[in-house]
Each structure stands twice: as structure tokens, then as C-alpha cells.
């Protein structure tokens, strides 16, 4: 922080940045003598005597310009000047009772104007309402009266007397403050030796209505000054100081709610005028939160305040000797020698909180920084008072000392160390542990200190607190990770030792157990998991071990512990609820064989639940060992369904599982059921698309004697005859018929063979088998009566099926007649075709000399051409050949024929060598080309499917059309 205009420091040595206080001279062009200063915001108003002109003037300095607003002779001497907190209004009071007002604002050349309604009042003090921008204030005059006034740009709008302090002495100071509620006001005023206060509202008139001046305190003196300290302008004051020649009365203030008095802990500090070294030249006092600023004629000093503003001399009295003040002085600066450099007054700028010190020739600004002097620090003084056994209320010194450290880590650590020592000395070991933990003191030294005094609980508290503070720093100081790990392991051991000692005290045991669990949850990431596991396991604490592995989410050990202690329900619950991701896949395979024998229904539901999720991770074939361990006797009484079949069926039907092992397992489970209904349904369902091994299924059905199942499997193996015989073995004629119907209808011979097997069985094993066998001929649609006659018994009488024989003969006669009619129709059609061919030999068409080729549009007669009589389209041979090559794909039969003929012609060589063969192959090529008109035949349809750009053109021209990005 620097001075306003590079003002020169006028003290005995330069300051460095470690000082809390710094005094800078304000660079103002002043030639006369400064009599008085008033400060508002950044505006300085002052009375300056001009000795050459024998007059005085009131000037305003706004950091840029120095403006004179009023100038008069010595005959009309000025009394005092005042500014409001905003620095926009200046009030000037003369000894003759005239008063002037000047609105500074943004005026280029402001001038003071006389206030007629203030005539006859010599103003001694002004109290402004800091939160009222309308210019409301209280004026204190020389006769003990208070006047309410209001100012604007044009001067004093109104003025009225509101109170008589009945002192007939000047009102030296007036202050107006508002309570936090906003509806009440507090007014404090002082005379030469008395302090008054008023409470009321919401207006000033309400404050003084029907009130006599409340006499509060009195100290001897001829002049007094009341100063208040606030942290910000928009906040109420927190403490006050009232200064007279006899001493200083100070205390705290409370504006939270309206009350008769806002002053608390008032303590009078009377100067011991009888002692040697007393300096009666105290010119003014300013107050900060922890300091008095005392202005003397030759120096300025900052004196520290103890907590609670309770300052007692060494002998226990409130009468302070200079030595008492000196012992608490944290900063002091001496003015240069000379009468013009003597301090005259101290003025506070309410807007900025800065202090201005006035001498005859100079104005100084006192800057207050956040840190303290490196050699003589206030925080150390408060700390030393806290550890001094002779001090009273020692504990209250430490919070102030900590606040004055301003976050400095080293200073804060020293104060906390002293505070911890204080608590330890008075026997508050728990509090001491919490304080010690926040310091950087040696961990080992503090631990040894507690061990020597035999305080295990406090020792544990200290280690826990130290871990807490180390945890906050661990992100930026990784070197502490090892120490934290060691401490965490030690705390675990301490907790386990306490649990071992408290087995006979269940209440205390539960408390320590809760603390231990909380510690493990909080610091588990800093522990060595394997070491802690071994510690807990070595002390045979299964509950703590289980809690620890659950916290680690080491579900393998959790489930193993449950299974070991036969808590299978909890093991199953842990497996289903927590092991729901791929990383726990092996745990399902490891523990399912044991759990399926305990609660198969719940376990299978868990399998199915993991399979329904999008991230299904279980591999069903690896669960087959668990399914092999299952038996329906493990089901609970209210569950009858086979759980192995339930899971396998769900895989096949719902999840569309195609694994042969799963299908074989399901088939095996079905085969072992008493009823073959489910087996047959499964075989029928997967008849056309089976994943199981057919040979294994057949062997299984033969072993379990599931003959109907064998029929379906033989059918799937296309062993139809064996399937029919197995169906007939079970006397299931319908099943045998179903097998025959599954044979391809085009394979008539096989179907007839199978039907004959059925007929043989019916004739041999069924009463009235002959009639039933004859009925089967109509049902089969492939057998005739003559096909089954050889299989009838040897002595079967014809009259038993005479009508059937006659019906068969009639059907043969009908077929013969139909065949004769078909032959006659075919013969007639052949004759018609021959006649049409004969007629085509004499067909003709003509070409005019102007007819053009439909491809190249040149005259047809210009070259060899092909004419299509039906549509009269004509093409040159070469044009027709080119069109066919372009339109037909390489794999087209006609394209291949054309290519074959061209290859033959190319092999023959020039036409002169073998003209006859050339003509023959050329005629063959023309016959191929003339088979179909390209505009009226199949070629036109094929061309509609061709792309606009052929593949050959695309390969040649495509790169030139590529767009570069």
C-alpha cells in the first residue's frame, strides 16, 4: 500500500512490508498553518490560516484539486468545520454564530453559502446518520443543546432544537446509529466530562420525546471525545472509547435489538498522573478491534487490547502507569522535532476506516495492514498472556491470538501449541489432544507425553485428531501417506485392544465398536488392507473381520466367511445384491454348487436376474456343475418346480440360448421326469431347428425308455422306417401316421413303403384289419388296392372288399380315358405348330432406302444390317453387337454365346484363308443377334436396371470427380 501522491516519509527510518502500521504524509499544496481537518470519503476539508494576509480560509482537497470555498478575516474567526461521511457536504461554523454550508459534489468551483436558519448557533459537533443519504444529522452547540437539521444541495432545509443536555457546556461529540431491526435509533453524546445515550425512534423526534438527558458515566476533564469502531460503514459499531484528560473508558456495543443501553463491559482506564513519566499531552484516541491509537504531541503509538476489552494493571487496579502502556505498545513512531510537526488531532475517515493525523504544516495518513511487525508482534503478546499463570481468564487470550495470526501457519502452530499446553496443565487432556493435533509439533513427543501420564483414551483422541488434519493435507502432500498408513494401523490395534478388554462391559463395548467402525469407514483408503485384515483375524474377531471385508467390498471373503459359519442365507443375499458386475463372475461359479443345495429357488432367481440385465456376464455352461448338484428335494415346501429345468428352459425360451451343452442338459432333465409330456413338447418345439446332440438324445431316451421321444428323434435323423416301427411298438398309430406325413411329399416311394409298414401292422395286430387297411389306402393318397393285396392273409375272401375292388377298377378306367384325351390334344397342338413353322419359311419384310439404324441413326443400307419383321426395327450388325455387349453382364448366357462365336472367328484368322468357315460362323453370330429385338424384347428390361455410369467408366472417370476436403 502506498501514499496518495508519493508523499515523503518523515520518520526516523524506513518501513518494510512486515509492519502492521505505516504512516505516510499526504502531499497537499499548503502554504499556511492547518488549524483543523475534517474527512469524508476521499474529500479533505480544512481550515488554513494565511499569516501574510492575516485571514483564514476553508479549503477542500478531493485528491485532484485544492479549492477554497470560504475566506474571511481574523475579525470573524472560524470555530469548526465538518463533513458528512460521503464527503459531499461541508458545514462551517464561525465564532460569531454564523454558519455556512457548501455542497461539494461534482461542482467545478464550489462556494459556501450562509445558512440563515442556523444563525446564532456555534456548532461544536455534528452527528450524521450514516445510512440516510438525505443529509439528516444532529448538531451539538456550545451551550449543551442538540438540534435536528437536514441539508441538501441548497443548504439547511430545516432546523429545530430537540434536546437540552442541561450541562451548559459544549456538546463535544454526537453519534447516530441504527439498530439491526431498522426501526429504532441510538444517539450518543458527550460533554466535557459526561457521556449520554438516547434510544427511541423511528425518527430523531421520537428519540428525544419525553426524555430527560440520561446521565450514564462521568470522568473528570475539560474536553472529551467519543470514538466508535466499526468494521464497515454499513455495519453498526462493535466497541467504543471515550477519552478525557483523566483516562479512557471503553467497552463493547450491541445493536442487535433496541434496549436501554447498548454499552457493555465499560471499563475506565485512568491515567496514573502521580507516577513518573506520565505524559499529559494526549491529543486524541482512535479505536480498532484490538488496538488503541494514541496521539501525543511528539509521537503516535498503537497499544494492544486484551480480549473482552478488560485491561487490568499489574497491581490489579484500573489505574495505568506509563510502564503498563509501554508493555502493551506494539508500534510507535516519533514526529520530527519542531513545533510545526507536533500532532494536533486525529480524524477517522468513516468510509475507508483510515486515520488522518494533523499537525500545523502536514497531514499524515495512518495505514493499517493485516500482518504484524516481525520483532514485536501482538499475537505473541496475547499468547504469552494466555500461558501466564498469573493472568485471569487465560483461555480467552488464545482465540484473539489466533485471529491475529491471519492464517500464518507457523504463528498459528505456536499459538495452538501454547493452547494445548494450557489445557494439558489444567487436566483437560481431551481438549489438549484436539489442539495438539492441529499443530506441527512432533507427533512422537506428544505421544510420549500422553503415554507417560497413562491416558490411553486421550492418546487415541489425539491420534485420531492428527489423522483428521493430515487427511486434509494428504491431497497436496503425498509424503504424509506413509505416516498416515502407520498411524491408521496403530489406531486399529488400539481399538482392537480396547474391544478385547471390554468383553464384560457390553455397553462400553458397543460404543468402542461404533467408534472403530466409523474410523474404518473414514480412513480405509489410507490403511494397508492386508495388514489390517491379518490384525483382525489374529484376534479372532469374526464380526469385525466380516465388517472390514464388507467395507472393502471383498465379497469373496465375505461370502466365504458366511459359508464357513453356515450363514448361507446371508451368503446368498450378499452374492445376489452385491456381485452384479463382471468382476464378480468367478464368485458365482465358486459358490453356486454349495448354495444350490440350500436355496435353489432364490439362487436360480439370482441367475435369471443377472441374465436379464444389459450387462449379463454369467456364462450358463459354467453353471452346469451347480445344476448337477441340484435335486428337487432341496426345494422349500411351497416350491414344486424343478429349478434346473426352470433355469434351462428360461435360457432356451427367453434368452434364445443356442449352446448345445444347455440344450443337452435340459433334454436330460426332461428325460428323467416321470412324464414324457415336457420331453415331447421340447422335441416338437425344436424339431426343425435343434441344438442338442441327436445321437446323445436318442441314447438318453432309449436308456430312460422314452419310446415316444425316440420316435421324434428317429424322425429328426430321417430314419423314418425305424421311427414308424417304434411308434407302432407303442401302439400309437397316429404317431406313426404323423411320421409318414413328415416325409417329403415328392418322395412317393418312401411314403408308400412306410404306409405299407403301417398296413402290415394293422392287418397283423388289429381285429378287422383288412377293412382298416383298405381305409388307409384312401388316407395315404399314395397306396392303391393292388399295393396292399399281397399283405392280406392267405385265405382272405374277396367278397369282403368286393365294392372296393370295383371302385378301384372304375378309377383305373377313368384314368385311361383321361390319358387318351390328353394324347389327342397334344397331337393336335403339334400339328398346329408344324403348320406355323412351314408358313414362316415364306415370311418377308422390306427396308426403304431412307430407313436408318435405330442405334447409330445412319442409313441401314450403308452396312450389313439385321431387320426384325415383327416390329420393323433395323440395326447394323456392329451396332447391335455393341449394344448387346454394353447391356448384358459378363455372366449372361447370351453374352457368353456371343463371346464364344467371336473367339472362334478370331481363331480362324483372315477371311481369305477359310472363307467358307468364316461365313458359317458369321451366319451363326447373326442368328444369335437376331433372336430378339433389343427395343422390344428382354434386353430393354435388362437395360432399365443398368446404372447411368458403368463400373468401367467409374474406374476411369471416378477419381476426377472426387471432392477434396
Amino acid at each position: 500500500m502506498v501514499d496518495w501522491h508519493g508523499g515523503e516519509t518523515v520518520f526516523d527510518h524506513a518501513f518494510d512490508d512486515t509492519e502492521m502500521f505505516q504512516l505516510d504524509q499526504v502531499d497537499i499544496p499548503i502554504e499556511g498553518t492547518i488549524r483543523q481537518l475534517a474527512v469524508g470519503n476521499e474529500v479533505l476539508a480544512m481550515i488554513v490560516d494565511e499569516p501574510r494576509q492575516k485571514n483564514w480560509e476553508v479549503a477542500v482537497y478531493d485528491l485532484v484539486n485544492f479549492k477554497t470555498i470560504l475566506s474571511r478575516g481574523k475579525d470573524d474567526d472560524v470555530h469548526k468545520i465538518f463533513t458528512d461521511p460521503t464527503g459531499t457536504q461541508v458545514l462551517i461554523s464561525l465564532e460569531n454564530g454564523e454558519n455556512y454550508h457548501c455542497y461539494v459534489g461534482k461542482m467545478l468551483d464550489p462556494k459556501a453559502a450562509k445558512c440563515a436558519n442556523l444563525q446564532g448557533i456555534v456548532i461544536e459537533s455534528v452527528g450524521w446518520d450514516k445510512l440516510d443519504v438525505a443529509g439528516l444529522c444532529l448538531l451539538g452547540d456550545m451551550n449543551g443543546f442538540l438540534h435536528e437539521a437536514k441539508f441538501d444541495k441548497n443548504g439547511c432545509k430545516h432546523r429545530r432544537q430537540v434536546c437540552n443536555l442541561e450541562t451548559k457546556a459544549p456538546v463535544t461529540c454526537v453519534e447516530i446509529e441504527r439498530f439491526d431491526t431498522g426501526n429504532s435509533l441510538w444517539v450518543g453524546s458527550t460533554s466535557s466530562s459526561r457521556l449520554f445515550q438516547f434510544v427511541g425512534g423511528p425518527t430523531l423526534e421520537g428519540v428525544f420525546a419525553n426524555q430527560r438527558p440520561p446521565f450514564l458515566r462521568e470522568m473528570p476533564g475539560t474536553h472529551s471525545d467519543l470514538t466508535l469502531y466499526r468494521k464497515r460503514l454499513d455495519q453498526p459499531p462493535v466497541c467504543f472509547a471515550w477519552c478525557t484528560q483523566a483516562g479512557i473508558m471503553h467497552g463493547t456495543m450491541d445493536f442487535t435489538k433496541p434496549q436501554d443501553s447498548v454499552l457493555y463491559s465499560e471499563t475506565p482506564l485512568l491515567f496514573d498522573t502521580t507516577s513518573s513519566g506520565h505524559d499529559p499531552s494526549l491529543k486524541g484516541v482512535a479505536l480498532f478491534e484490538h488496538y488503541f491509537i494514541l496521539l501525543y504531541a511528539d509521537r503516535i503509538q498503537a497499544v494492544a487490547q486484551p480480549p473482552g476489552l478488560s485491561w487490568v494493571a499489574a497491581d490489579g487496579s484500573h489505574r495505568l502507569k506509563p510502564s503498563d502502556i509501554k508493555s502493551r505498545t506494539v508500534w510507535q513512531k516519533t514526529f520530527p522535532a519542531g513545533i510545526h510537526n507536533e500532532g494536533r488531532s486525529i480524524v477517522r475517515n468513516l468510509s475507508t476506516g483510515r486515520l488522518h493525523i494533523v499537525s500545523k504544516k502536514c497531514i499524515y495518513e495512518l495505514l493499517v495492514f493485516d500482518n504484524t511487525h516481525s520483532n514485536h508482534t501482538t499475537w505473541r503478546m496475547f499468547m504469552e498472556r494466555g500461558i501466564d499463570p498469573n493472568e485471569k481468564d487465560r483461555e480467552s487470550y488464545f482465540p484473539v491470538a489466533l485471529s491475529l495470526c491471519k492464517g500464518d501457519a507457523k504463528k498459528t502452530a505456536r499459538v495452538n501449541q501454547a493452547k494445548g499446553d494450557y489445557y494439558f496443565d489444567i487436566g483437560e487432556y481431551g481438549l489438549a489432544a484436539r489442539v495438539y493435533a492441529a499443530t506441527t509439533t512432533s507427533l512422537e513427543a506428544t505421544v510420549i507425553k500422553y503415554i507417560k501420564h497413562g491416558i490411553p483414551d486421550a492418546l487415541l483422541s489425539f491420534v485420531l485428531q492428527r489423522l483428521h488434519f493430515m487427511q486434509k493435507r494428504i491431497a497436496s502432500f503425498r509424503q504424509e501417506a506413509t505416516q498416515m498408513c502407520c498411524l491408521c494401523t496403530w489406531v486399529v490395534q488400539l481399538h482392537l485392544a480396547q474391544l478385547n478388554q471390554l468383553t464384560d462391559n457390553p455397553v462400553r463395548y458397543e460404543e468402542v465398536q461404533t467408534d472403530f467402525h466409523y474410523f474404518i469407514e473414514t480412513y480405509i483408503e489410507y490403511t494397508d488392507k492386508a495388514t489390517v485384515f491379518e490384525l483382525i483375524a489374529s484376534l479372532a474377531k469374526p464380526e469385525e473381520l466380516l465388517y472390514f471385508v464388507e467395507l472393502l467390498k471383498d465379497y469373496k471373503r465375505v461370502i466365504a466367511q458366511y459359508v464357513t459359519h453356515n450363514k448361507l442365507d446371508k451368503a446368498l443375499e450378499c452374492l445376489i445384491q452385491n456381485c452384479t458386475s463382471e468382476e464378480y463372475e468367478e464368485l458365482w461359479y465358486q459358490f453356486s454348487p454349495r448354495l444350490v443345495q440350500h436355496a435353489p429357488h432364490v439362487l436360480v432367481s439370482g441367475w435369471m436376474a443377472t441374465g436379464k440385465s444389459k450387462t449379463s456376464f454369467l456364462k450358463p455352461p459354467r453353471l452346469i456343475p451347480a445344476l448337477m448338484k441340484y435335486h428337487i428335494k432341496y426345494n422349500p415346501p411351497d416350491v414344486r418346480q424343478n429349478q434346473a429345468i426352470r433355469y434351462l428352459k428360461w435360457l432356451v425360451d427367453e434368452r434364445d440360448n443356442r449352446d448345445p451343452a444347455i440344450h443337452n442338459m435340459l433334454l436330460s432333465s426332461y428325460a428323467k421326469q416321470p412324464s414324457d409330456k415336457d420331453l415331447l413338447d421340447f422335441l416338437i418345439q425344436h424339431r426343425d431347428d435343434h441344438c442338442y446332440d441327436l445321437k446323445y438324445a436318442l441314447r438318453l431316451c432309449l436308456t430312460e425308455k422314452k419310446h415316444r421321444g425316440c420316435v421324434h428323434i428317429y424322425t429328426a435323423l430321417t430314419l423314418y422306417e425305424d421311427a414308424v416301427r417304434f411308434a407302432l411298438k407303442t401302439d400309437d398309430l397316429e404317431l406313426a401316421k404323423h411320421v409318414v406325413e413328415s416325409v417329403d411329399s415328392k418322395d412317393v416311394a418312401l411314403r408308400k413303403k412306410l404306409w405299407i409298414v403301417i398296413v402290415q401292422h394293422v392287418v397283423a395286430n388289429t381285429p378287422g384289419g383288412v377293412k382298416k387297411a383298405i381305409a388307409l389306402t384312401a388316407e395315404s393318397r399314395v397306396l392303391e388296392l393292388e399295393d396292399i393285396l399281397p399283405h392280406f392273409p392267405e385265405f382272405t375272401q374277396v367278397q369282403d372288399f368286393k365294392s372296393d375292388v370295383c371302385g378301384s377298377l372304375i378309377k383305373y378306367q377313368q384314368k385311361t380315358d383321361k390319358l387318351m384325351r390328353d394324347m389327342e390334344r397334344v397331337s393336335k397342338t403339334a400339328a398346329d405348330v408344324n403348320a406355323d413353322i412351314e408358313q414362316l419359311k415364306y415370311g418377308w419384310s422390306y427396308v426403304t432406302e431412307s430407313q436408318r439404324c435405330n442405334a447409330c441413326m445412319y442409313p441401314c443400307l450403308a452396312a450389313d444390317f439385321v431387320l426384325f419383321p415383327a416390329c420393323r426395327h433395323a440395326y447394323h450388325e456392329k451396332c447391335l453387337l455393341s449394344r448387346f455387349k454394353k447391356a448384358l453382364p459378363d455372366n449372361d448366357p447370351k453374352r457368353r454365346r456371343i463371346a464364344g462365336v467371336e473367339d472362334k472367328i478370331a481363331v480362324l484368322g483372315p477371311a481369305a484363308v477359310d472363307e467358307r468357315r468364316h461365313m458359317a460362323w458369321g451366319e451363326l453370330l447373326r442368328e444369335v443377334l437376331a433372336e430378339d429385338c433389343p427395343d422390344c424384347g428382354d434386353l430393354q428390361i435388362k437395360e432399365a436396371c443398368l446404372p447411368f455410369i458403368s463400373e468401367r467408366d467409374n474406374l476411369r472417370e471416378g477419381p476426377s470427380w472426387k471432392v477434396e476436403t
Side-chain angles (χ1 to χ4, degrees):
M1 201 167 185
V2 298
D3 59 349
W4 285 348
H5 288 286
E8 181 182 357
T9 303
V10 295
F11 308 106
D12 48 1
H13 66 275
F15 300 94
D16 60 57
D17 292 337
T18 60
E19 290 186 331
M20 185 170 186
F21 302 94
Q22 181 172 321
L23 201 61
D24 290 336
Q25 182 178 341
V26 181
D27 188 11
I28 301 179
I30 302 175
E31 296 182 359
T33 302
I34 304 174
R35 189 190 303 183
Q36 185 188 347
L37 175 71
V39 183
N41 202 359
E42 299 293 347
V43 175
L44 278 69
M46 62 196 77
I47 304 173
V48 181
D49 288 327
E50 296 290 345
R52 295 179 183 178
Q53 302 176 5
K54 297 183 179 181
N55 65 352
W56 55 265
E57 65 179 21
V58 176
V60 175
Y61 179 64
D62 60 359
L63 306 185
V64 178
N65 299 312
F66 192 81
K67 307 170 186 178
T68 300
I69 61 173
L70 183 64
S71 178
R72 299 288 288 273
K74 292 293 185 179
D75 296 335
D76 298 324
D77 200 8
V78 67
H79 181 65
K80 277 190 177 182
I81 61 170
F82 310 92
T83 62
D84 71 331
T86 63
T88 58
Q89 302 187 76
V90 179
L91 184 60
I92 308 165
S93 182
L94 275 59
E95 295 287 357
N96 60 10
E98 292 181 2
N99 293 280
Y100 292 82
H101 172 268
C102 178
Y103 181 79
V104 180
K106 298 181 180 180
M107 297 177 64
L108 296 177
D109 188 19
K111 295 298 180 181
K114 188 175 182 179
C115 299
N117 52 1
L118 295 180
Q119 182 66 32
I121 301 176
V122 180
I123 302 174
E124 176 68 18
S125 58
V126 178
W128 302 91
D129 187 351
K130 287 80 176 173
L131 301 181
D132 189 341
V133 297
L136 181 67
C137 65
L138 278 175
L139 309 178
D141 64 15
M142 294 292 291
N143 300 313
F145 291 95
L146 294 177
H147 307 265
E148 178 185 350
K150 194 165 189 178
F151 294 89
D152 60 8
K153 295 180 180 181
N154 300 319
C156 182
K157 294 176 63 175
H158 77 270
R159 189 272 309 172
R160 63 180 173 184
Q161 179 181 322
V162 293
C163 181
N164 181 6
L165 296 181
E166 300 178 357
T167 60
K168 296 182 181 181
V171 180
T172 58
C173 185
V174 180
E175 294 286 349
I176 303 175
E177 299 295 339
R178 293 183 179 272
F179 287 92
D180 293 344
T181 57
N183 297 324
S184 299
L185 298 172
W186 173 85
V187 175
S189 64
T190 61
S191 65
S192 59
S193 60
R194 291 183 178 180
L195 171 64
F196 305 88
Q197 70 170 344
F198 304 85
V199 177
T203 63
L204 288 174
E205 183 179 5
V207 173
F208 298 102
N210 301 322
Q211 287 197 31
R212 292 181 60 81
F215 168 67
L216 184 64
R217 287 288 185 269
E218 184 173 11
M219 284 197 305
T222 58
H223 181 81
S224 69
D225 187 20
L226 177 65
T227 178
L228 310 180
Y229 171 73
R230 69 185 78 237
K231 295 183 179 180
R232 287 191 337 205
L233 181 62
D234 57 351
Q235 294 180 351
V238 295
C239 56
F240 75 95
W242 177 42
C243 177
T244 70
Q245 286 89 345
I248 303 172
M249 176 180 290
H250 59 92
T252 58
M253 308 182 77
D254 181 12
F255 287 91
T256 56
K257 60 182 179 179
Q259 48 197 325
D260 293 338
S261 176
V262 299
L263 308 181
Y264 292 91
S265 305
E266 303 101 305
T267 303
L269 303 179
L270 303 179
F271 299 126
D272 189 356
T273 57
T274 62
S275 62
S276 61
H278 172 68
D279 189 349
S281 62
L282 183 64
K283 301 297 183 180
V285 176
L287 184 64
F288 284 93
E289 187 172 9
H290 300 294
Y291 307 95
F292 281 139
I293 304 297
L294 305 180
L295 176 64
Y296 296 91
D298 62 340
R299 68 187 183 279
I300 183 171
Q301 61 185 161
V303 181
Q305 285 292 333
L309 296 175
S310 178
W311 194 0
V312 182
D315 59 359
S317 67
H318 293 285
R319 187 167 298 275
L320 300 181
K321 299 179 181 180
S323 58
D324 297 323
I325 296 178
K326 184 177 180 180
S327 65
R328 288 172 171 83
T329 298
V330 296
W331 174 85
Q332 176 176 303
K333 290 301 170 185
T334 304
F335 296 113
I339 190 171
H340 293 294
N341 294 321
E342 292 182 356
R344 304 184 67 175
S345 64
I346 184 168
V347 182
R348 182 188 290 273
N349 187 336
L350 293 179
S351 299
T352 62
R354 299 174 184 171
L355 298 180
H356 292 80
I357 292 87
V358 184
S359 70
K360 289 184 178 182
K361 291 294 185 180
C362 302
I363 299 175
Y364 304 108
E365 182 180 25
L366 180 63
L367 307 179
V368 182
F369 297 92
D370 289 338
N371 53 353
T372 56
H373 194 278
S374 58
N375 297 322
H376 190 67
T377 51
T378 310
W379 66 269
R380 183 184 290 110
M381 185 195 72
F382 282 102
M383 180 188 72
E384 291 172 353
R385 293 291 188 275
I387 60 178
D388 187 353
N390 298 322
E391 287 284 347
K392 297 180 180 179
D393 195 17
R394 295 161 56 192
E395 187 176 355
S396 62
Y397 285 84
F398 295 110
V400 181
L402 288 172
S403 66
L404 293 173
C405 291
K406 301 297 182 181
D408 188 296
K410 292 183 178 180
K411 297 174 184 176
T412 302
R414 290 186 61 183
V415 175
N416 281 328
Q417 178 68 36
K419 185 178 180 181
D421 292 340
Y422 162 73
Y423 282 135
F424 198 91
D425 292 341
I426 65 174
E428 293 290 346
Y429 303 112
L431 293 175
R434 285 196 288 272
V435 176
Y436 280 143
T439 67
T440 56
T441 185
S442 170
L443 173 71
E444 294 79 3
T446 307
V447 168
I448 293 173
K449 189 174 184 178
Y450 275 102
I451 292 176
K452 285 183 176 179
H453 285 75
I455 317 168
D457 292 342
L459 173 62
L460 181 59
S461 175
F462 165 70
V463 178
L464 288 173
Q465 291 292 329
R466 174 58 69 92
L467 280 173
H468 174 70
F469 284 101
M470 291 177 67
Q471 186 183 24
K472 293 181 179 179
R473 304 193 301 266
I474 195 69
S476 55
F477 299 99
R478 296 303 301 175
Q479 63 270 23
E480 294 188 357
T482 303
Q483 188 178 15
M484 282 201 66
C485 180
C486 296
L487 287 179
C488 288
T489 305
W490 187 27
V491 172
V492 170
Q493 191 174 11
L494 291 175
H495 274 113
L496 293 175
Q498 283 187 334
L499 290 174
N500 273 340
Q501 295 172 1
L502 296 172
T503 52
D504 297 333
N505 189 346
V507 176
R508 179 61 181 154
Y509 185 92
E510 185 176 353
E511 293 176 356
V512 175
Q513 187 182 50
T514 302
D515 294 341
F516 176 57
H517 290 176
Y518 175 77
F519 168 77
I520 290 293
E521 291 176 7
T522 306
Y523 297 98
I524 189 170
E525 62 178 304
Y526 306 109
T527 61
D528 182 72
K529 282 62 174 189
T531 304
V532 174
F533 182 84
E534 292 177 3
L535 272 176
I536 301 175
S538 64
L539 294 176
K541 294 289 182 182
E543 293 182 3
E544 310 308 325
L545 188 62
L546 190 58
Y547 176 82
F548 181 66
V549 293
E550 281 182 344
L551 199 60
L552 291 177
K553 295 184 179 180
D554 187 354
Y555 297 119
K556 179 178 180 180
R557 285 175 170 170
V558 173
I559 299 173
Q561 287 290 318
Y562 282 136
V563 171
T564 301
H565 294 87
N566 204 30
K567 298 179 180 180
L568 299 180
D569 289 330
K570 290 189 175 182
L572 187 56
E573 180 182 358
C574 179
L575 183 67
I576 293 175
Q577 291 184 358
N578 300 314
C579 303
T580 56
S581 60
E582 189 174 357
E583 61 180 308
Y584 303 111
E585 179 183 358
E586 293 299 326
L587 299 185
W588 288 88
Y589 307 141
Q590 179 180 352
F591 294 104
S592 288
R594 177 68 179 89
L595 297 176
V596 77
Q597 299 176 352
H598 174 70
H601 180 76
V602 179
L603 180 62
V604 168
S605 298
W607 290 348
M608 295 168 66
T610 60
K612 290 178 182 177
S613 63
K614 295 182 180 180
T615 57
S616 176
F617 57 89
L618 289 182
K619 297 177 179 59
R622 297 194 61 183
L623 294 173
I624 290 178
L627 294 173
M628 298 292 292
K629 293 278 187 179
Y630 168 76
H631 193 278
I632 198 168
K633 67 181 180 180
Y634 299 133
N635 282 7
D638 57 336
V639 178
R640 293 189 175 185
Q641 184 181 11
N642 186 299
Q643 296 304 304
I645 293 177
R646 174 192 171 204
Y647 177 63
L648 296 170
K649 188 174 185 298
W650 175 79
L651 287 175
V652 173
D653 295 344
E654 301 294 332
R655 307 302 295 176
D656 194 24
N657 188 286
R658 310 284 296 173
D659 193 304
I662 297 300
H663 285 252
N664 288 339
M665 182 70 183
L666 179 58
L667 187 67
S668 174
S669 300
Y670 280 142
K672 293 176 182 179
Q673 298 295 304
S675 171
D676 61 356
K677 180 180 180 305
D678 293 334
L679 174 64
L680 296 178
D681 291 342
F682 177 77
L683 292 173
I684 294 171
Q685 179 183 356
H686 299 278
R687 175 178 55 196
D688 300 326
D689 184 20
H690 58 80
C691 299
Y692 54 86
D693 186 343
L694 289 172
K695 294 181 180 179
Y696 168 77
L698 179 60
R699 183 169 61 253
L700 189 66
C701 290
L702 289 173
T703 302
E704 299 294 336
K705 297 182 180 180
K706 304 294 183 182
H707 298 301
R708 291 161 63 88
C710 292
V711 172
H712 287 280
I713 297 172
Y714 276 128
T715 303
L717 291 170
T718 67
L719 301 175
Y720 299 109
E721 188 171 354
D722 293 331
V724 170
R725 295 189 187 280
F726 254 92
L728 295 176
K729 184 183 293 187
T730 60
D731 293 328
D732 193 338
L733 186 62
E734 293 300 323
L735 181 59
K737 292 179 183 179
H738 180 74
V739 173
V740 177
E741 291 300 325
S742 64
V743 178
D744 188 0
S745 60
K746 295 181 181 179
D747 194 350
V748 178
L750 179 59
R751 291 171 65 90
K752 182 180 291 187
K753 181 179 178 181
L754 298 177
W755 277 111
I756 289 175
V757 173
I758 295 175
V759 167
Q760 289 176 341
H761 175 80
V762 170
V763 170
N765 299 291
T766 307
V770 174
K771 291 186 177 181
K772 292 182 179 180
I774 294 173
L776 289 175
T777 59
E779 184 178 352
S780 68
R781 300 188 300 279
V782 294
L783 291 179
E784 298 294 341
L785 184 60
E786 62 271 21
D787 295 327
I788 64 174
L789 286 177
H791 304 288
F792 286 174
E794 185 176 354
F795 300 102
T796 302
Q797 298 181 357
V798 178
Q799 59 267 25
D800 292 339
F801 48 94
K802 179 179 179 180
S803 59
D804 297 314
V805 173
C806 293
S808 178
L809 293 174
I810 293 172
K811 289 169 67 176
Y812 272 110
Q813 182 63 40
Q814 291 175 348
K815 289 182 179 180
T816 303
D817 295 342
K818 182 178 181 298
L819 184 60
M820 292 297 294
R821 290 194 297 273
D822 291 341
M823 292 174 63
E824 291 176 359
R825 185 170 62 255
V826 171
S827 298
K828 185 177 181 304
T829 302
D832 293 340
V833 170
N834 289 331
D836 291 338
I837 293 172
E838 191 67 25
Q839 186 177 359
L840 286 174
K841 292 180 179 179
Y842 304 100
W844 59 274
S845 182
Y846 63 91
V847 177
T848 64
E849 62 181 1
S850 60
Q851 186 165 354
R852 297 179 179 275
C853 172
N854 283 63
C856 67
M857 302 308 294
Y858 283 95
C860 289
L861 299 178
D864 293 340
F865 66 91
V866 177
L867 175 67
F868 295 94
C871 60
R872 292 190 55 77
H873 290 151
Y875 294 89
H876 292 136
E877 284 187 8
K878 292 183 178 180
C879 295
L880 189 62
L881 181 62
S882 175
R883 184 167 179 181
F884 274 113
K885 287 183 177 180
K886 183 177 181 180
L888 296 176
D890 294 338
N891 59 353
D892 188 83
K894 191 169 187 176
R895 174 69 178 269
R896 290 200 297 267
R897 288 171 59 197
I898 293 172
V901 173
E902 287 183 325
D903 293 341
K904 291 292 184 182
I905 295 174
V907 171
L908 292 176
V913 177
D914 194 346
E915 185 177 358
R916 184 178 60 79
R917 295 185 67 185
H918 261 284
M919 292 179 61
W921 284 108
E923 186 65 27
L924 179 59
L925 179 61
R926 282 191 289 274
E927 288 180 3
V928 174
L929 295 176
E931 287 179 351
D932 198 9
C933 175
D935 287 337
C936 304
D938 294 338
L939 186 64
Q940 185 72 12
I941 299 173
K942 293 179 180 179
E943 284 183 331
C945 301
L946 292 177
F948 290 110
I949 301 175
S950 65
E951 293 183 3
R952 187 181 298 103
D953 292 339
N954 186 43
L955 292 174
R956 186 177 65 255
E957 301 292 340
S960 64
W961 289 84
K962 186 176 180 181
V963 177
E964 297 294 339
T965 58

